[in-house]
Amino acid sequence: MSEPGPRRIAVVDDEENILRALSRSLAREGYQVFTFQRPADAIEALKELAPHAVVSDHLMPEMTGLEFLKVVRNRAPDTCRIMLTGHAEMQTAIDAINDGEIYRFLLKPWDDAELAMTLSLGLERLDLELENRRLAALVRTQQMKLAAATRNALADDPLDLVRR
C-alpha cells in the first residue's frame, strides 16, 4: 500500500492565484502540495517528486492539461490524475479520460470538499490497484514455486505423489 507520511500532490496551473488557493485547500486536508505554473517544470520534477496525484488545469499557454496528463501517464503511471478546468467541453472531457486516463474531470470554480473527496477516492483506488498487482505477482510466484516443487517431486520418485 502507500508509504507513510503525507501524500504528495502536484498542482499545475498557469494562474498563481489558483495555485495558492488549491495549495491552501489541499494542505488543510493534510497533503504535501507542490505547485507549478509551467507543465514543463512539473514534468521535470516528476521523477524526483514521485507525486501520488497530479491536479492539472486544462488551458495553459505551453501545453494543454490533456497533453501534460498524457506525459504524466507515461512517465508516472501509478499517479492519480485529475483535470481541473473552467472551460468544459464534452470532447475535452472524453479525450482526457480516454487519452490521459484521468481519474476525474472537475470544473472551476471547484468545491474544496468535492476536490478533497475526489482526491481521497482516487488515491484509495490507486492503493487498491497497486495492492492487487502486488498480490497477483505473489500468486504467480507461489504458483511457479509449486510447479517447480511438483516437477522436482516427480523427478525424484514419480510414484511418491501417487502414494500420498
Side-chain angles (χ1 to χ4, degrees):
M1 300 293 264
S2 161
E3 69 265 15
R7 299 292 191 109
R8 293 177 303 281
I9 311 297
V11 180
V12 182
D13 197 301
D14 58 314
E15 296 182 43
E16 182 64 34
N17 59 335
I18 299 287
L19 289 176
R20 282 195 303 272
L22 285 167
S23 184
R24 278 191 309 272
S25 174
L26 296 173
R28 276 194 303 268
E29 297 295 326
Y31 295 114
Q32 187 177 11
V33 183
F34 300 86
T35 60
F36 302 91
Q37 278 190 281
R38 298 179 56 240
D41 293 339
I43 290 168
E44 189 175 311
L46 268 180
K47 188 172 184 177
E48 185 178 323
L49 178 60
H52 297 95
V54 174
V55 178
S56 176
D57 184 26
H58 177 54
L59 295 179
M60 297 180 283
E62 294 176 15
M63 72 172 47
T64 67
L66 178 55
E67 293 166 335
F68 168 67
L69 291 173
K70 282 182 190 178
V71 172
V72 172
R73 180 198 65 209
N74 292 330
R75 294 191 184 182
D78 295 331
T79 302
C80 177
R81 293 171 297 281
I82 297 170
M83 184 176 288
L84 186 65
T85 185
H87 307 280
E89 295 177 10
M90 183 58 78
Q91 191 57 49
T92 300
I94 291 169
D95 291 344
I97 292 165
N98 292 336
D99 298 340
E101 295 179 15
I102 67 161
Y103 175 67
R104 288 286 191 269
F105 187 92
L106 299 175
L107 298 176
K108 291 179 184 177
W110 69 92
D111 175 83
D112 285 347
E114 180 185 18
L115 177 60
M117 181 58 72
T118 298
L119 267 171
S120 177
L121 292 173
L123 292 169
E124 183 178 321
R125 179 179 176 218
L126 180 62
D127 286 345
L128 289 172
E129 288 174 6
L130 294 174
E131 181 65 3
N132 282 342
R133 279 191 240 151
R134 186 190 71 78
L135 291 172
L138 180 62
V139 166
R140 283 191 300 277
T141 300
Q142 295 300 325
Q143 287 172 332
M144 288 189 298
K145 286 180 181 178
L146 180 59
T150 302
R151 280 191 304 276
N152 289 340
L154 286 172
D156 291 342
D157 183 1
L159 293 176
D160 187 43
L161 286 177
V162 175
R163 284 179 271 202
R164 289 184 195 183

